[in-house]
Amino acid sequence: MKFDLHTHHFRCGHADGNIEDYIKAGIREGLGVIGISDHSPYFGSKLDHENPGITMAKSEFAQYVDEVLQLKARYEGTIDVLLGVESDFFPEHAKLYNDVFAGYPFDYIIGSVHRSGGVSIFNRSRWKGKSDEEQVLQKREYYDLIAQSARSGMFQILGHIDAMKGYYPAFSAISADDAIDATLQAIAESSVSIEINTSGSTKDVGGWYPSDAILERALHYGVSVTFGSDAHRPSRVGDEWELVAKRLKEIGFKEWRYYKKKQPVIVSL
């Protein structure tokens, strides 16, 4: 059973194609399950559309959900279309986001940390002039936010948990292994899954999120895993699924999972 739980479309402002384009791509790739998980609005903002080009507008959110549900019904029997969303994690707005999401029949919610210390994790400039000590502190802050997101109870999946390396490959070498271990333990204790996200191959780092080293430690702590291409164009749906499955088996994983009605569906590797 092939599945892909992380896809985007035009509403977020930085992806190509409409939702149906991704569903059709999933069918071509032989997927049995495809999750639609575009970026949620910035619900903590007073504006309807904070930062166009990054997330959808608040006024588009209900339309997004309705469209996914209509397509789910249309493609029933051909491919299982799941309603998801990728949500930023802002501790100060967690209750607000949770209250909004509670009003919709999501199959799963991906919690992703995209900003740490008030700066995008993909901002190359955040590292300029930083001492070794300052870089360690930034990495620790990032992983603390991920641990908080796991404990929040808001999410079934945590997105790209080392994506800070995307445009700064040296991130992986910053010494903070104890912070990563503490975060993985928090994830395991919270019974949320981490995704193997293949979009890192489109960034400077040129590899998946998370690294093999983190996956090995995730297995040690009993963290469950899932798959997401993080496709921002239909041609990337299911990208490198077979390679990821092979690597997970080599590391020692026996299964991975997707979520339906917020309950895990186990798939053997």
Side-chain angles (χ1 to χ4, degrees), residues 94-133:
K95 184 180 185 305
L96 171 62
Y97 275 67
N98 208 28
D99 289 348
V100 172
F101 294 149
Y104 298 95
F106 287 107
D107 287 299
Y108 63 93
I109 300 171
I110 300 172
S112 297
V113 174
H114 291 112
R115 297 181 70 82
S116 178
V119 181
S120 169
I121 64 169
F122 299 117
N123 187 333
R124 295 175 174 88
S125 298
R126 69 178 298 137
W127 303 104
K128 289 181 179 178
K130 293 288 188 299
S131 67
D132 290 348
E133 183 180 60

Side-chain angles (χ1 to χ4, degrees), residues 37 73 81 88-89 98 121 125 145 151 228 238:
S37 59
V81 178
D88 283 275
F89 178 69
N98 208 28
I121 64 169
S125 298
L145 282 170
R151 296 189 189 101

Side-chain angles (χ1 to χ4, degrees), residues 18 42 99 105 111 132 134-135 174 181 187 189 200 205 222 227 238 248:
N18 60 41
Y42 280 133
D99 289 348
D132 290 348
E134 289 171 324
Q135 291 197 32
I174 298 172
D181 284 339
I187 293 169
E189 291 165 2
V205 73
F227 176 85
L248 286 175

Side-chain angles (χ1 to χ4, degrees), residues 174-196:
I174 298 172
S175 180
D177 285 353
D178 59 327
I180 296 173
D181 284 339
T183 297
L184 291 172
Q185 290 178 68
I187 293 169
E189 291 165 2
S190 302
S191 298
V192 294
S193 298
I194 60 172
E195 64 175 8
I196 292 82

